[in-house]
Amino acid sequence: MCLMPSRLCLIMIGVLASLQAAQADPLDDYRDLQDLTVALAALGPQLEAANDTALLSAPALDALMQAPAVAAVPFTPAQLEPAELQLIDLRIALVQLSIYAGTNDQLSVIRAQSALEPQVIAIRNGTVSLAEVKDWIAAQPDPTNLMSDVGLRMPLVVLEGAQLILSENDVLELSRPDGTFLLNLGTLIIDLAAIGVAGPENQNVPEYAPFVVTAGSGIAQITGAQISGLGFSKTAAFSGLAVVNKGLYQPIGQSFLTHSVLRDVGAVTFLGAAEPDIHGNILTGATNAGIVLNGTDGATVSGNLITETQSGSALRITDSAAGSLIAGNLIFDNANTGIQITRGSRNTAVRDNILWRNGGVGLSIRRSDCTQVTRNVAMENSKKGIELQSSWHAAVTSNQIFGNHSSGLLVADQPNGNETLVSQNIFAGNRVGLASASAHILTLRENDFSNQFPRLVEGDLLGEAHQIMGNLTGTDEIQLVAGGIEVFGGFSGTCNFEQDG
């Protein structure tokens, strides 16, 4: 029996059925799980009208949308001559990868090879399809050494200037016991194809699992794919599915991952990529992290469903990632933090996301300047709903913060001289509504605490609780000044929130 408002019940019941169908047949039933922002628009008024969190705790919110299908990002493969295929020494490929991704865990890759003198299949100077790769393998003197019932038995490398295309109904199985992987230094296009892992554990490196990595100036353009089981390491290149654009040369184009289903992948990592688009995907069961934006510029992560991430954050923006737009994602039932923004990332817009029932904080922002947090739902997370620490020029506006097991919002360790704006948020049923520790200047404007009892505030704000008690719906602006922290130097740079139109 659904205890929620009738409209919300209909949304939840319908979409829970869609999620169950997607788990059985991800691609066929995936259309019901796209475009989360449409569903959030429908859900928002219901949540706002139902501030009593007892009405919001039924375990059906995990699948909230039945929305129109979204067209995949179009792409046009470059018109190239047929590629050349040949066998080359594995070490040549790994040296190329190490230039862009370092040498961590490369010894594990070498040890995982089954051949005494390991080689790779290299694709040079042109375009090739997966079917053509298989035909080439079949024509070799001993094709079973290259491919067998356990899948591709030798690593596959796309060199600069080459292009590999996996098309609809293509299935590429990578053999775990043979230590295979796919390295792309050129162009990798996956369109409605599948990549998986086959075979028992690797005898030399039991933890080994095949991986797919794009590196250097290469690009990966992936639409409508089914990807499972990849990744054995926290190192970006071997994490599962990765795009590592580091080095002197810019990537030859845009990388994207759209409308795909990823299961039990170590992590999806974009390192140094320019304007990657991660849109409309289902990501479940990630073992090390969900999606990682590391030093990216202008990334968009929108309309994704991320659940059951086993460790790390479901979505991590880190290492000076700039200009990220995080919009309309449903992030729920992950073991740790939902969204983490950290280590000097800046100009990040986080809007219209649902952060529900995660094992850590819903949204954590630390040492990352110019962050705009708008119109999100942070609900029933095991720790805080939203935390903001040591970050210049942040605004937390128009969010719905319900039933979190610690404070709904924590503002702490803010630099002296910095003002943090908290406006038009709804707090209800959190253990504590708003907590502060060394927040310096905290401006409260039009926030609704009318259903946040018995503990409105905590920390530095306890002495000011009477101001909020007498102004539960925020009709009067309140500016609180507490101690801040000294930082080396002040803020330098410009905040740019143009992406939040």
Side-chain angles (χ1 to χ4, degrees):
M1 176 176 163
C2 184
L3 300 178
M4 301 184 179
S6 59
R7 171 61 178 159
L8 187 54
C9 283
L10 291 175
I11 293 173
M12 290 180 175
I13 292 170
V15 180
L16 183 59
S18 297
L19 181 60
Q20 292 169 341
Q23 289 173 336
D25 193 349
L27 287 182
D28 288 350
D29 295 287
Y30 178 60
R31 298 305 182 188
D32 288 339
L33 292 172
Q34 294 192 353
D35 200 352
L36 298 178
T37 54
V38 173
L40 184 59
L43 181 66
Q46 298 294 331
L47 289 177
E48 190 164 354
N51 284 334
D52 182 353
T53 55
L55 298 178
L56 301 173
S57 59
L61 191 63
D62 35 24
L64 36 98
M65 59 289 173
Q66 288 185 341
V70 178
V73 177
F75 60 82
T76 303
Q79 300 302 309
L80 302 176
E81 296 296 321
E84 306 167 15
L85 281 78
Q86 65 180 115
L87 299 179
I88 65 173
D89 193 302
L90 170 76
R91 291 170 295 182
I92 297 175
L94 291 183
V95 166
Q96 289 289 310
L97 180 58
S98 69
I99 294 171
Y100 308 111
T103 58
N104 288 350
D105 291 318
Q106 284 211 8
L107 181 59
S108 294
V109 177
I110 294 171
R111 291 179 55 233
Q113 305 305 305
S114 59
L116 294 176
E117 297 181 0
Q119 295 180 304
V120 303
I121 302 170
I123 301 170
R124 296 178 179 273
N125 304 324
T127 297
V128 67
S129 67
L130 181 60
E132 290 167 335
V133 172
K134 291 180 178 180
D135 289 344
W136 180 86
I137 290 173
Q140 299 309 299
D142 194 351
T144 58
N145 286 335
L146 307 182
M147 179 172 282
S148 69
D149 292 341
V150 296
L152 186 68
R153 299 189 61 197
M154 186 170 288
L156 186 61
V157 177
V158 184
L159 298 176
E160 291 183 24
Q163 182 172 257
L164 172 63
I165 301 176
L166 278 62
S167 301
E168 186 170 3
N169 299 322
D170 280 346
V171 178
L172 176 59
E173 294 282 354
L174 300 172
S175 170
R176 185 197 310 266
D178 293 297
T180 56
F181 57 85
L182 172 55
L183 166 60
N184 168 45
L185 302 173
T187 300
L188 174 63
I189 294 174
I190 304 175
D191 184 19
L192 300 173
I195 297 181
V197 173
E201 73 176 26
N202 190 283
Q203 292 299 306
N204 299 323
V205 186
E207 69 275 14
Y208 182 85
F211 54 90
V212 174
V213 56
T214 293
S217 60
I219 59 172
Q221 300 186 333
I222 303 171
T223 300
Q226 295 189 68
I227 299 172
S228 61
L230 300 177
F232 73 96
S233 167
K234 293 184 179 181
T235 301
F238 311 126
S239 63
L241 179 67
V243 176
V244 181
N245 292 137
K246 292 178 66 178
L248 296 177
Y249 300 103
Q250 294 296 312
I252 57 178
Q254 181 192 31
S255 291
F256 53 77
L257 172 65
T258 68
H259 307 126
S260 297
V261 178
L262 301 99
R263 299 186 181 281
D264 305 322
V265 173
V268 175
T269 304
F270 288 80
L271 195 162
E275 300 183 349
D277 183 14
I278 304 101
H279 172 77
N281 304 288
I282 296 176
L283 181 66
T284 179
T287 55
N288 290 324
I291 297 171
V292 180
L293 304 179
N294 186 323
T296 54
D297 186 13
T300 298
V301 181
S302 63
N304 301 284
L305 188 157
I306 309 175
T307 187
E308 297 181 0
T309 303
Q310 297 175 29
S311 65
S313 303
L315 171 58
R316 188 167 191 245
I317 301 101
T318 187
D319 289 336
S320 301
S324 305
L325 172 60
I326 312 301
N329 301 285
L330 174 55
I331 299 176
F332 72 98
D333 276 354
N334 298 284
N336 293 307
T337 297
I339 299 176
Q340 182 183 32
I341 305 171
T342 187
R343 297 181 64 172
S345 297
R346 62 191 186 279
N347 282 324
T348 308
V350 184
R351 69 172 194 243
D352 299 319
N353 303 282
I354 292 182
L355 308 163
W356 179 52
R357 215 168 56 186
N358 297 292
V361 179
L363 167 62
S364 175
I365 304 161
R366 296 192 181 199
R367 300 189 180 278
S368 295
D369 301 332
C370 302
T371 304
Q372 186 183 64
V373 181
T374 308
R375 298 190 304 274
N376 301 282
V377 176
M379 189 170 102
E380 296 182 348
N381 297 287
S382 294
K383 295 183 179 178
K384 305 169 191 70
I386 301 171
E387 67 176 10
L388 172 66
Q389 300 188 51
S390 304
S391 302
W392 289 89
H393 301 299
V396 181
T397 62
S398 301
N399 301 284
Q400 298 167 19
I401 306 172
F402 298 142
N404 297 286
H405 298 179
S406 181
S407 52
L409 170 63
L410 168 69
V411 181
D413 296 334
Q414 293 293 81
N416 278 327
N418 177 74
E419 178 183 0
T420 303
L421 175 65
V422 178
S423 70
Q424 298 180 316
N425 302 285
I426 301 173
F427 295 84
N430 305 287
R431 190 185 70 83
V432 176
L434 175 61
S436 166
S438 301
H440 200 51
I441 303 172
L442 186 61
T443 299
L444 307 181
R445 183 183 301 153
E446 299 180 21
N447 299 288
D448 187 347
F449 288 89
S450 57
N451 286 279
Q452 180 54 55
F453 284 105
R455 301 182 68 179
L456 297 177
V457 296
E458 189 175 65
D460 291 349
L461 301 177
L462 279 174
E464 310 295 337
H466 64 283
Q467 292 196 55
I468 297 176
M469 183 71 71
N471 186 28
L472 289 176
T473 57
T475 54
D476 299 324
E477 179 177 302
I478 301 172
Q479 188 171 79
L480 306 172
V481 180
I485 62 170
E486 294 296 333
V487 295
F488 182 76
F491 173 78
S492 61
T494 303
C495 291
N496 177 8
F497 293 128
E498 293 180 0
Q499 65 266 60
D500 189 20

